[in-house]
């Protein structure tokens, strides 16, 4: 779902797991690798979960193509909040070409497409015992960038990842 904020994409899900279990799924390398990415993808992760710490997640598609994500933790408040700046600069060239196409369709000027960085905020809200509301908000530099990601299937990708997260929990 796209929020009223022109540059933000939000998704949420209620999970049958405690906030501590969901927190571990986002902050433990092995746990995150077990669910990150759409159906059919595998992942590997290196995480230094602390404010200012860096991370690298490499998703690999069924075709063997790797999609590296690098970034830094901007805020870490266990077990309720993670804010990460993610760089997708090292994704494959054809992914960048497709992003540029979607960005232009969304009204962005090609010269504005300099860096691909997304700030992702993960919020965990405890519900009744053993349940957690997971909220993910991604903030983009512009509405055109947000809409370009939407055109590339961002909502579907997150839905599939969260399906995998539910199974992993």
């Amino acid at each position: 779902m796209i929020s009223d904020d022109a540059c933000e994409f939000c998704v949420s899900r209620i999970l049958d797991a405690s906030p501590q279990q969901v927190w571990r799924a986002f902050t433990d390398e092995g746990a995150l690798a077990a669910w990150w990415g759409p159906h059919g993808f595998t992942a590997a992760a290196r995480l230094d979960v602390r404010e200012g710490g860096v991370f690298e997640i490499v998703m690999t598609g069924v075709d063997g193509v790797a999609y590296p994500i690098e970034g830094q933790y901007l805020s870490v408040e266990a077990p309720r909040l993670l804010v990460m700046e993610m760089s997708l600069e090292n994704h494959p060239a054809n992914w960048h070409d497709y992003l540029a196409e979607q960005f232009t369709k969304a009204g962005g000027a090609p010269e504005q497409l300099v860096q691909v960085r997304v700030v992702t905020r993960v919020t965990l809200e405890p519900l009744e015992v053993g349940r957690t509301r997971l909220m993910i908000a991604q903030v983009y530099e512009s509405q055109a960038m947000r809409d370009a990601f939407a055109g590339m299937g961002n909502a579907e990708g997150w839905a599939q990842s969260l399906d995998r997260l539910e199974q992993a929990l």
Side-chain angles (χ1 to χ4, degrees), residues 11-26 31 35 79-80 122-136 158-169:
V11 62
S12 68
R13 187 155 312 181
I14 295 176
L15 301 168
D16 290 325
S18 70
Q20 291 78 11
Q21 290 170 302
V22 181
W23 179 262
R24 182 180 175 279
F26 274 89
W35 67 268
R80 61 172 217 82
V122 177
T123 306
L124 306 178
E125 177 188 333
L127 301 174
E128 61 270 13
V129 175
R131 298 189 82 199
T132 302
R133 180 186 324 276
L134 166 66
M135 294 165 284
I136 298 172
W158 271 111
Q160 290 180 24
S161 288
L162 296 181
D163 289 347
R164 294 180 66 199
L165 172 59
E166 281 184 314
Q167 293 170 358
L169 290 169

Side-chain angles (χ1 to χ4, degrees), residues 11-91:
V11 62
S12 68
R13 187 155 312 181
I14 295 176
L15 301 168
D16 290 325
S18 70
Q20 291 78 11
Q21 290 170 302
V22 181
W23 179 262
R24 182 180 175 279
F26 274 89
T27 60
D28 177 86
E29 293 174 352
L32 184 127
W35 67 268
W36 188 274
H39 297 305
F41 277 66
T42 59
R46 287 186 306 120
L47 311 174
D48 180 10
V49 185
R50 61 183 172 84
E51 193 168 315
V54 296
F55 63 87
E56 179 181 23
I57 304 166
V58 179
M59 299 184 307
T60 303
V62 294
D63 56 2
V65 175
Y67 297 85
I69 301 168
E70 298 168 337
Q72 182 175 24
Y73 293 100
L74 304 178
S75 182
V76 177
E77 298 175 25
R80 61 172 217 82
L81 178 69
L82 277 176
V83 181
M84 306 165 277
E85 182 179 57
M86 300 177 151
S87 170
L88 309 177
E89 292 300 314
N90 292 322
H91 272 31

Side-chain angles (χ1 to χ4, degrees), residues 100-120:
E101 177 185 320
Q102 293 297 315
F103 185 71
T104 302
K105 281 184 184 177
E111 64 273 7
Q112 294 173 327
L113 191 58
V114 180
Q115 293 183 349
V116 185
R117 295 193 181 278
V118 179
V119 174
T120 301

